[in-house]
Amino acid sequence: MNLMNRKNMQLLSGNHAVSWAARLCRPDVAPLYPITPQTPILEKITEFHAEGLMKTELLTPESEHSAMAACISASLTGARVFTATSSQGLLLQHELLHYATGARAAIVMCNVNRTPASPWGFWPDQLDSLSQRDTGWVQFYSESPQESLDSVIMAFAIAESVGVPTMVCHDAFYVSHSMEPVEIPDQAMVDDFLPKFDPARKLDTAVGASFGAPLDQNTWRRSRMDLAESLAAVTDETIRVGEAWGKLTGRSYGPLERYRCDDAEMVIVTMGSMCGTVRDAVDTMRENGKRVGLLKVRQFRPLPASMLRDALAGVPVVMVLDRNYSPGTGGILHQELKAVLSGMADGPKVHGLLAGIGGANVSSETIDRWVRDYQNAEPKPESQWVE
Amino acid sequence: MREILILGRGGQGAQTAGNLLARAFFEQGSFVQTFATYGGARRGTPVTASLRVDDQPIRQRSNIEHASAMLCFDESLLEPGFLGFARPDTVIVVNTHKPASAFAGLGDYQFFPIDGRSIAQRNDMGKVVNSALLGAFAAKLDQLDIDIVCNVIQDTAPAKKDQNVAACRDAYAMVRNQDAGGQQ
């Protein structure tokens, strides 16, 4: 890639790349509440708005909880809705995240992954969004500012076609505050890619119908079965949308990415910013004759179970790097991956490493050392603290 | 790949300096990645801006452990924690009114002292030292065109554009021919 030939290339942080994506998607409503390290997303959107470059109705309510309440109501009127938060803000929204999914509100949110208190911190750690794994929100984990921009645009396509809220997560600092060359897609191309949101059912004062009425047991159960059916369609939709975006931009995405996994004796599985460092480590190890690959989990919810089994069939050893610690359980990706791979005849040995918790630094040299430490070890059921 | 660190205290402009330097390398056609980390999130606490420069896309997303060049906004930050990121051949440009000999006891590094405050004052920049420090740092970074650095400052400075550029060029000229250790 030659930077000089890319006319739409700008130097942007991950957060500002997300603001650009929001601008290109032309949301009707954006309720936002600031929180470190998400605030630059909000700031850039308000700048765009003040300059007349975004026609969005911006709402700045008194908390993240109220912001999400506004997102749900706006979305159910048929508005395209964008919001962004992080850590404590996302945790405050928890009850409404469940509500949004049940109400089938096709909201798109960016969450900047940051340590939840206590103790206080601003560091990259994915526990905030991973602990929303049971809310039904579709979750993507992004590795770079460019991927965050692309993912927000694709998230609108997926959320609005399937009818489920969708979260794009990127790590504090390593992505959110990392300024890099980012290609900004052409507005007309995004307009074609993302037609106007027009759901079949919406709140309308001329129509005597509402959302969220109390249901009897069997109808409530049926609503969950409907939700399950929609979520089951997400993985195919991620593939379809990711390929379509690839045809337009040259950047394709899917639920998973296999990087140099062919003939690998060990595959490292991780999510978010650490994937980039693992790529470097894999290239160095391959140069030294070590058969190591990376499996990047981009879509964590719904978990693409069959794809994960296919991707890891025949791989002797898997090393999961979790940048999260679920107290009392261990690494969440480790836990989920073991469940998905359970019962496979040719399934791998699975090591779970608690790597870079609280933003502790993980360099490619460290990854190389962990590969040497674990390639011949017998896996333990518990995730292991490493540094 | 080149790895560069800028150390400062919240409010001094270290993060801005990192962004401006990244923009200058980007304008020259390089791939760059810069990010700042700040533990205290308040004025006066240490801020680190990290910058990677390469001729291909940068994938690593981790802290810089070995910098080839460092710019230090505040000499009080030159303690073992930060100096641990330097190697003997690392260029360290430090904002101070002291001579390089004052830092000899810290180890075998290539110190280039620059009195950012006096350069800022004589260029009508008051206490704002980052354009002067950027000029001094640019003088010791290979393959960085000072004219591009000045263009970036001209484009992005929110006020006193000409004074910012003058401070940058002033410091650049002072440090350009200075030998390591601060001997003229």
Side-chain angles (χ1 to χ4, degrees), chain A residues 215-262:
Chain A
L215 299 179
D216 67 75
Q217 297 93 322
N218 284 331
T219 319
W220 202 95
R221 174 178 174 273
R222 210 175 74 207
S223 80
R224 287 287 121 164
M225 290 173 68
D226 285 347
L227 176 60
E229 198 175 312
S230 295
L231 286 169
V234 166
T235 298
D236 283 347
E237 193 62 6
T238 299
I239 295 168
R240 185 189 69 77
V241 168
E243 284 174 356
W245 188 246
K247 281 190 187 130
L248 294 172
T249 62
R251 297 183 298 274
S252 302
Y253 299 91
L256 304 176
E257 182 199 337
R258 295 170 85 246
Y259 181 73
R260 305 190 76 169
C261 284
D262 290 345

Tab-separated table of all heavy atoms in Angstrom, chain A residues 215-262:
chain	number	residue	atom	x	y	z
A	215	LEU	N	-46.652	-9.880	28.545
A	215	LEU	CA	-47.112	-11.031	27.763
A	215	LEU	C	-47.383	-12.211	28.684
A	215	LEU	O	-46.801	-12.310	29.767
A	215	LEU	CB	-46.034	-11.458	26.759
A	215	LEU	CG	-45.620	-10.439	25.700
A	215	LEU	CD1	-44.523	-11.047	24.822
A	215	LEU	CD2	-46.814	-10.018	24.842
A	216	ASP	N	-48.205	-13.138	28.233
A	216	ASP	CA	-48.361	-14.387	28.977
A	216	ASP	C	-47.118	-15.247	28.763
A	216	ASP	O	-46.306	-14.957	27.872
A	216	ASP	CB	-49.631	-15.124	28.528
A	216	ASP	CG	-49.510	-15.597	27.103
A	216	ASP	OD1	-48.787	-16.579	26.871
A	216	ASP	OD2	-50.093	-14.944	26.197
A	217	GLN	N	-47.004	-16.297	29.543
A	217	GLN	CA	-45.760	-17.081	29.550
A	217	GLN	C	-45.387	-17.609	28.162
A	217	GLN	O	-44.239	-17.509	27.727
A	217	GLN	CB	-45.885	-18.281	30.512
A	217	GLN	CG	-46.081	-17.905	31.957
A	217	GLN	CD	-47.552	-17.832	32.359
A	217	GLN	OE1	-48.402	-17.374	31.561
A	217	GLN	NE2	-47.868	-18.259	33.574
A	218	ASN	N	-46.350	-18.192	27.496
A	218	ASN	CA	-46.010	-18.826	26.223
A	218	ASN	C	-45.645	-17.812	25.143
A	218	ASN	O	-44.788	-18.074	24.296
A	218	ASN	CB	-47.153	-19.724	25.751
A	218	ASN	CG	-47.167	-21.017	26.553
A	218	ASN	OD1	-46.132	-21.483	27.015
A	218	ASN	ND2	-48.363	-21.577	26.764
A	219	THR	N	-46.299	-16.659	25.192
A	219	THR	CA	-45.969	-15.645	24.184
A	219	THR	C	-44.602	-15.042	24.474
A	219	THR	O	-43.831	-14.749	23.562
A	219	THR	CB	-47.060	-14.548	24.145
A	219	THR	OG1	-48.328	-15.167	24.250
A	219	THR	CG2	-46.995	-13.760	22.858
A	220	TRP	N	-44.289	-14.899	25.786
A	220	TRP	CA	-42.948	-14.403	26.156
A	220	TRP	C	-41.889	-15.374	25.635
A	220	TRP	O	-40.902	-14.966	25.021
A	220	TRP	CB	-42.825	-14.269	27.673
A	220	TRP	CG	-41.746	-13.297	28.089
A	220	TRP	CD1	-41.900	-11.980	28.393
A	220	TRP	CD2	-40.343	-13.574	28.237
A	220	TRP	NE1	-40.693	-11.404	28.717
A	220	TRP	CE2	-39.709	-12.362	28.631
A	220	TRP	CE3	-39.544	-14.701	28.070
A	220	TRP	CZ2	-38.333	-12.260	28.865
A	220	TRP	CZ3	-38.166	-14.599	28.294
A	220	TRP	CH2	-37.579	-13.392	28.693
A	221	ARG	N	-42.151	-16.663	25.868
A	221	ARG	CA	-41.212	-17.681	25.383
A	221	ARG	C	-41.064	-17.599	23.865
A	221	ARG	O	-39.950	-17.694	23.328
A	221	ARG	CB	-41.742	-19.060	25.804
A	221	ARG	CG	-40.958	-20.232	25.255
A	221	ARG	CD	-41.531	-21.541	25.776
A	221	ARG	NE	-40.886	-22.685	25.151
A	221	ARG	CZ	-41.272	-23.215	23.999
A	221	ARG	NH1	-42.313	-22.719	23.354
A	221	ARG	NH2	-40.621	-24.248	23.486
A	222	ARG	N	-42.176	-17.379	23.177
A	222	ARG	CA	-42.124	-17.298	21.714
A	222	ARG	C	-41.283	-16.091	21.262
A	222	ARG	O	-40.563	-16.160	20.267
A	222	ARG	CB	-43.536	-17.211	21.133
A	222	ARG	CG	-43.621	-17.844	19.745
A	222	ARG	CD	-45.033	-17.869	19.219
A	222	ARG	NE	-45.463	-16.536	18.791
A	222	ARG	CZ	-46.717	-16.126	18.776
A	222	ARG	NH1	-47.695	-16.919	19.167
A	222	ARG	NH2	-47.022	-14.910	18.363
A	223	SER	N	-41.376	-15.006	22.030
A	223	SER	CA	-40.574	-13.826	21.652
A	223	SER	C	-39.082	-14.146	21.750
A	223	SER	O	-38.273	-13.662	20.962
A	223	SER	CB	-40.932	-12.614	22.524
A	223	SER	OG	-40.289	-12.686	23.770
A	224	ARG	N	-38.708	-14.977	22.743
A	224	ARG	CA	-37.298	-15.388	22.873
A	224	ARG	C	-36.888	-16.315	21.722
A	224	ARG	O	-35.755	-16.277	21.251
A	224	ARG	CB	-37.061	-16.106	24.206
A	224	ARG	CG	-37.067	-15.192	25.394
A	224	ARG	CD	-35.813	-14.351	25.467
A	224	ARG	NE	-36.125	-12.941	25.450
A	224	ARG	CZ	-35.291	-11.966	25.805
A	224	ARG	NH1	-34.085	-12.249	26.245
A	224	ARG	NH2	-35.645	-10.713	25.730
A	225	MET	N	-37.837	-17.163	21.295
A	225	MET	CA	-37.516	-18.056	20.166
A	225	MET	C	-37.334	-17.231	18.883
A	225	MET	O	-36.467	-17.532	18.059
A	225	MET	CB	-38.614	-19.105	19.994
A	225	MET	CG	-38.621	-20.114	21.131
A	225	MET	SD	-40.031	-21.238	21.050
A	225	MET	CE	-39.643	-22.183	19.588
A	226	ASP	N	-38.143	-16.197	18.732
A	226	ASP	CA	-37.983	-15.299	17.577
A	226	ASP	C	-36.610	-14.636	17.616
A	226	ASP	O	-35.926	-14.511	16.593
A	226	ASP	CB	-39.053	-14.191	17.590
A	226	ASP	CG	-40.411	-14.707	17.169
A	226	ASP	OD1	-40.476	-15.832	16.644
A	226	ASP	OD2	-41.405	-13.981	17.379
A	227	LEU	N	-36.229	-14.201	18.827
A	227	LEU	CA	-34.927	-13.548	18.989
A	227	LEU	C	-33.800	-14.522	18.636
A	227	LEU	O	-32.846	-14.166	17.932
A	227	LEU	CB	-34.782	-13.051	20.436
A	227	LEU	CG	-33.455	-12.416	20.826
A	227	LEU	CD1	-33.154	-11.195	19.965
A	227	LEU	CD2	-33.462	-12.031	22.305
A	228	ALA	N	-33.943	-15.765	19.125
A	228	ALA	CA	-32.909	-16.777	18.850
A	228	ALA	C	-32.783	-17.007	17.341
A	228	ALA	O	-31.670	-17.158	16.814
A	228	ALA	CB	-33.256	-18.075	19.565
A	229	GLU	N	-33.921	-17.013	16.658
A	229	GLU	CA	-33.896	-17.221	15.203
A	229	GLU	C	-33.156	-16.069	14.511
A	229	GLU	O	-32.355	-16.282	13.603
A	229	GLU	CB	-35.338	-17.290	14.703
A	229	GLU	CG	-35.483	-17.908	13.326
A	229	GLU	CD	-36.954	-18.043	12.946
A	229	GLU	OE1	-37.753	-18.541	13.766
A	229	GLU	OE2	-37.301	-17.591	11.850
A	230	SER	N	-33.434	-14.866	14.957
A	230	SER	CA	-32.747	-13.710	14.359
A	230	SER	C	-31.253	-13.770	14.630
A	230	SER	O	-30.431	-13.524	13.742
A	230	SER	CB	-33.308	-12.399	14.920
A	230	SER	OG	-34.650	-12.253	14.536
A	231	LEU	N	-30.894	-14.091	15.886
A	231	LEU	CA	-29.464	-14.135	16.225
A	231	LEU	C	-28.754	-15.241	15.448
A	231	LEU	O	-27.583	-15.098	15.081
A	231	LEU	CB	-29.279	-14.319	17.735
A	231	LEU	CG	-29.593	-13.052	18.555
A	231	LEU	CD1	-29.661	-13.366	20.044
A	231	LEU	CD2	-28.571	-11.955	18.298
A	232	ALA	N	-29.491	-16.322	15.172
A	232	ALA	CA	-28.879	-17.418	14.405
A	232	ALA	C	-28.560	-16.972	12.975
A	232	ALA	O	-27.731	-17.590	12.297
A	232	ALA	CB	-29.811	-18.624	14.391
A	233	ALA	N	-29.207	-15.915	12.516
A	233	ALA	CA	-28.960	-15.430	11.149
A	233	ALA	C	-27.793	-14.446	11.087
A	233	ALA	O	-27.354	-14.064	9.997
A	233	ALA	CB	-30.226	-14.772	10.607
A	234	VAL	N	-27.294	-14.033	12.265
A	234	VAL	CA	-26.300	-12.953	12.285
A	234	VAL	C	-24.991	-13.366	11.610
A	234	VAL	O	-24.411	-12.604	10.833
A	234	VAL	CB	-26.044	-12.467	13.736
A	234	VAL	CG1	-24.788	-11.608	13.810
A	234	VAL	CG2	-27.248	-11.691	14.240
A	235	THR	N	-24.509	-14.579	11.904
A	235	THR	CA	-23.198	-14.974	11.378
A	235	THR	C	-23.190	-14.935	9.850
A	235	THR	O	-22.250	-14.398	9.237
A	235	THR	CB	-22.823	-16.376	11.906
A	235	THR	OG1	-22.736	-16.280	13.334
A	235	THR	CG2	-21.494	-16.846	11.360
A	236	ASP	N	-24.250	-15.471	9.217
A	236	ASP	CA	-24.314	-15.419	7.744
A	236	ASP	C	-24.384	-13.977	7.258
A	236	ASP	O	-23.831	-13.631	6.218
A	236	ASP	CB	-25.541	-16.195	7.233
A	236	ASP	CG	-25.300	-17.697	7.280
A	236	ASP	OD1	-24.135	-18.099	7.469
A	236	ASP	OD2	-26.278	-18.457	7.146
A	237	GLU	N	-25.092	-13.159	8.014
A	237	GLU	CA	-25.223	-11.754	7.630
A	237	GLU	C	-23.864	-11.037	7.757
A	237	GLU	O	-23.512	-10.220	6.908
A	237	GLU	CB	-26.293	-11.098	8.527
A	237	GLU	CG	-26.774	-9.746	8.072
A	237	GLU	CD	-27.473	-9.735	6.703
A	237	GLU	OE1	-27.697	-10.811	6.113
A	237	GLU	OE2	-27.762	-8.626	6.220
A	238	THR	N	-23.116	-11.364	8.802
A	238	THR	CA	-21.768	-10.794	8.957
A	238	THR	C	-20.904	-11.149	7.757
A	238	THR	O	-20.160	-10.305	7.235
A	238	THR	CB	-21.108	-11.316	10.252
A	238	THR	OG1	-21.911	-10.907	11.355
A	238	THR	CG2	-19.697	-10.787	10.430
A	239	ILE	N	-21.015	-12.400	7.316
A	239	ILE	CA	-20.224	-12.843	6.158
A	239	ILE	C	-20.664	-12.091	4.902
A	239	ILE	O	-19.834	-11.533	4.165
A	239	ILE	CB	-20.363	-14.375	5.953
A	239	ILE	CG1	-19.750	-15.112	7.152
A	239	ILE	CG2	-19.737	-14.817	4.644
A	239	ILE	CD1	-20.070	-16.602	7.213
A	240	ARG	N	-21.986	-12.022	4.685
A	240	ARG	CA	-22.511	-11.360	3.476
A	240	ARG	C	-22.104	-9.883	3.449
A	240	ARG	O	-21.574	-9.386	2.452
A	240	ARG	CB	-24.045	-11.483	3.454
A	240	ARG	CG	-24.695	-10.948	2.181
A	240	ARG	CD	-26.223	-10.886	2.290
A	240	ARG	NE	-26.703	-9.878	3.225
A	240	ARG	CZ	-26.747	-8.565	2.964
A	240	ARG	NH1	-26.328	-8.106	1.798
A	240	ARG	NH2	-27.185	-7.714	3.882
A	241	VAL	N	-22.325	-9.198	4.574
A	241	VAL	CA	-22.033	-7.765	4.643
A	241	VAL	C	-20.522	-7.520	4.529
A	241	VAL	O	-20.077	-6.606	3.838
A	241	VAL	CB	-22.613	-7.177	5.958
A	241	VAL	CG1	-22.090	-5.774	6.210
A	241	VAL	CG2	-24.140	-7.182	5.901
A	242	GLY	N	-19.735	-8.373	5.196
A	242	GLY	CA	-18.277	-8.220	5.170
A	242	GLY	C	-17.710	-8.402	3.768
A	242	GLY	O	-16.767	-7.709	3.369
A	243	GLU	N	-18.300	-9.346	3.001
A	243	GLU	CA	-17.836	-9.556	1.619
A	243	GLU	C	-18.242	-8.389	0.734
A	243	GLU	O	-17.478	-7.928	-0.119
A	243	GLU	CB	-18.398	-10.872	1.068
A	243	GLU	CG	-17.660	-12.082	1.637
A	243	GLU	CD	-18.285	-13.417	1.226
A	243	GLU	OE1	-19.345	-13.402	0.548
A	243	GLU	OE2	-17.713	-14.458	1.610
A	244	ALA	N	-19.481	-7.903	0.936
A	244	ALA	CA	-19.961	-6.774	0.127
A	244	ALA	C	-19.090	-5.539	0.370
A	244	ALA	O	-18.719	-4.813	-0.558
A	244	ALA	CB	-21.423	-6.476	0.464
A	245	TRP	N	-18.736	-5.312	1.641
A	245	TRP	CA	-17.876	-4.173	1.979
A	245	TRP	C	-16.490	-4.353	1.363
A	245	TRP	O	-15.873	-3.407	0.882
A	245	TRP	CB	-17.784	-4.031	3.511
A	245	TRP	CG	-17.079	-2.793	3.956
A	245	TRP	CD1	-15.904	-2.711	4.615
A	245	TRP	CD2	-17.521	-1.429	3.781
A	245	TRP	NE1	-15.579	-1.392	4.877
A	245	TRP	CE2	-16.553	-0.592	4.361
A	245	TRP	CE3	-18.642	-0.855	3.176
A	245	TRP	CZ2	-16.662	0.804	4.366
A	245	TRP	CZ3	-18.758	0.530	3.181
A	245	TRP	CH2	-17.777	1.346	3.769
A	246	GLY	N	-16.022	-5.601	1.359
A	246	GLY	CA	-14.722	-5.907	0.760
A	246	GLY	C	-14.687	-5.582	-0.727
A	246	GLY	O	-13.685	-5.088	-1.247
A	247	LYS	N	-15.802	-5.865	-1.424
A	247	LYS	CA	-15.842	-5.568	-2.874
A	247	LYS	C	-15.734	-4.062	-3.114
A	247	LYS	O	-15.171	-3.622	-4.111
A	247	LYS	CB	-17.147	-6.102	-3.472
A	247	LYS	CG	-17.095	-7.597	-3.715
A	247	LYS	CD	-18.275	-8.088	-4.516
A	247	LYS	CE	-18.250	-9.614	-4.578
A	247	LYS	NZ	-19.506	-10.218	-4.212
A	248	LEU	N	-16.280	-3.281	-2.213
A	248	LEU	CA	-16.265	-1.822	-2.390
A	248	LEU	C	-14.938	-1.194	-1.976
A	248	LEU	O	-14.517	-0.192	-2.546
A	248	LEU	CB	-17.385	-1.181	-1.552
A	248	LEU	CG	-18.824	-1.519	-1.973
A	248	LEU	CD1	-19.807	-0.972	-0.948
A	248	LEU	CD2	-19.132	-0.933	-3.350
A	249	THR	N	-14.299	-1.755	-0.965
A	249	THR	CA	-13.149	-1.072	-0.345
A	249	THR	C	-11.839	-1.852	-0.439
A	249	THR	O	-10.777	-1.289	-0.145
A	249	THR	CB	-13.411	-0.839	1.158
A	249	THR	OG1	-13.551	-2.121	1.786
A	249	THR	CG2	-14.669	-0.016	1.390
A	250	GLY	N	-11.925	-3.143	-0.762
A	250	GLY	CA	-10.723	-3.975	-0.704
A	250	GLY	C	-10.436	-4.488	0.697
A	250	GLY	O	-9.438	-5.157	0.924
A	251	ARG	N	-11.308	-4.179	1.643
A	251	ARG	CA	-11.126	-4.654	3.021
A	251	ARG	C	-12.322	-5.534	3.391
A	251	ARG	O	-13.413	-5.042	3.653
A	251	ARG	CB	-11.036	-3.475	3.998
A	251	ARG	CG	-9.849	-2.565	3.764
A	251	ARG	CD	-9.767	-1.458	4.809
A	251	ARG	NE	-10.920	-0.576	4.793
A	251	ARG	CZ	-11.049	0.489	4.016
A	251	ARG	NH1	-10.086	0.819	3.183
A	251	ARG	NH2	-12.134	1.225	4.052
A	252	SER	N	-12.101	-6.855	3.394
A	252	SER	CA	-13.169	-7.807	3.726
A	252	SER	C	-13.073	-8.195	5.188
A	252	SER	O	-11.981	-8.226	5.747
A	252	SER	CB	-13.025	-9.080	2.893
A	252	SER	OG	-13.068	-8.770	1.543
A	253	TYR	N	-14.199	-8.513	5.756
A	253	TYR	CA	-14.226	-8.943	7.162
A	253	TYR	C	-15.194	-10.116	7.305
A	253	TYR	O	-16.157	-10.230	6.545
A	253	TYR	CB	-14.699	-7.804	8.070
A	253	TYR	CG	-13.827	-6.576	8.041
A	253	TYR	CD1	-14.076	-5.537	7.147
A	253	TYR	CD2	-12.752	-6.449	8.915
A	253	TYR	CE1	-13.284	-4.404	7.133
A	253	TYR	CE2	-11.959	-5.310	8.910
A	253	TYR	CZ	-12.224	-4.288	8.015
A	253	TYR	OH	-11.440	-3.168	8.007
A	254	GLY	N	-14.963	-10.941	8.316
A	254	GLY	CA	-15.878	-12.028	8.625
A	254	GLY	C	-15.991	-12.173	10.126
A	254	GLY	O	-15.406	-11.394	10.880
A	255	PRO	N	-16.729	-13.195	10.574
A	255	PRO	CA	-16.839	-13.414	12.027
A	255	PRO	C	-15.500	-13.814	12.649
A	255	PRO	O	-15.218	-13.474	13.792
A	255	PRO	CB	-17.841	-14.564	12.132
A	255	PRO	CG	-18.559	-14.583	10.820
A	255	PRO	CD	-17.584	-14.100	9.798
A	256	LEU	N	-14.685	-14.558	11.865
A	256	LEU	CA	-13.361	-14.992	12.322
A	256	LEU	C	-12.355	-14.647	11.235
A	256	LEU	O	-12.724	-14.475	10.079
A	256	LEU	CB	-13.318	-16.522	12.511
A	256	LEU	CG	-14.334	-17.178	13.426
A	256	LEU	CD1	-14.143	-18.695	13.376
A	256	LEU	CD2	-14.191	-16.673	14.856
A	257	GLU	N	-11.081	-14.597	11.626
A	257	GLU	CA	-10.034	-14.513	10.613
A	257	GLU	C	-8.930	-15.487	10.969
A	257	GLU	O	-8.410	-15.465	12.080
A	257	GLU	CB	-9.456	-13.092	10.545
A	257	GLU	CG	-8.394	-12.959	9.450
A	257	GLU	CD	-7.482	-11.741	9.622
A	257	GLU	OE1	-7.891	-10.771	10.297
A	257	GLU	OE2	-6.357	-11.790	9.093
A	258	ARG	N	-8.581	-16.340	10.009
A	258	ARG	CA	-7.456	-17.262	10.208
A	258	ARG	C	-6.229	-16.627	9.585
A	258	ARG	O	-6.237	-16.316	8.399
A	258	ARG	CB	-7.739	-18.614	9.537
A	258	ARG	CG	-8.904	-19.364	10.158
A	258	ARG	CD	-9.298	-20.576	9.311
A	258	ARG	NE	-8.502	-21.761	9.612
A	258	ARG	CZ	-7.657	-22.329	8.761
A	258	ARG	NH1	-7.465	-21.816	7.563
A	258	ARG	NH2	-6.981	-23.417	9.099
A	259	TYR	N	-5.183	-16.432	10.379
A	259	TYR	CA	-3.945	-15.847	9.870
A	259	TYR	C	-2.815	-16.864	10.015
A	259	TYR	O	-2.423	-17.213	11.128
A	259	TYR	CB	-3.618	-14.555	10.641
A	259	TYR	CG	-2.356	-13.862	10.173
A	259	TYR	CD1	-2.323	-13.181	8.963
A	259	TYR	CD2	-1.190	-13.917	10.931
A	259	TYR	CE1	-1.175	-12.556	8.531
A	259	TYR	CE2	-0.026	-13.290	10.500
A	259	TYR	CZ	-0.019	-12.613	9.297
A	259	TYR	OH	1.131	-11.999	8.867
A	260	ARG	N	-2.320	-17.349	8.903
A	260	ARG	CA	-1.218	-18.312	8.831
A	260	ARG	C	-1.494	-19.552	9.698
A	260	ARG	O	-0.604	-20.045	10.395
A	260	ARG	CB	0.115	-17.647	9.205
A	260	ARG	CG	0.399	-16.413	8.345
A	260	ARG	CD	1.798	-15.872	8.498
A	260	ARG	NE	2.797	-16.688	7.793
A	260	ARG	CZ	4.061	-16.301	7.602
A	260	ARG	NH1	4.480	-15.132	8.060
A	260	ARG	NH2	4.912	-17.074	6.970
A	261	CYS	N	-2.733	-20.030	9.635
A	261	CYS	CA	-3.119	-21.191	10.448
A	261	CYS	C	-2.864	-22.517	9.732
A	261	CYS	O	-2.930	-23.575	10.357
A	261	CYS	CB	-4.595	-21.109	10.833
A	261	CYS	SG	-4.893	-19.919	12.148
A	262	ASP	N	-2.631	-22.472	8.396
A	262	ASP	CA	-2.421	-23.733	7.679
A	262	ASP	C	-1.207	-24.444	8.252
A	262	ASP	O	-0.183	-23.830	8.468
A	262	ASP	CB	-2.206	-23.465	6.176
A	262	ASP	CG	-3.495	-22.984	5.521
A	262	ASP	OD1	-4.563	-23.148	6.148
A	262	ASP	OD2	-3.428	-22.437	4.409
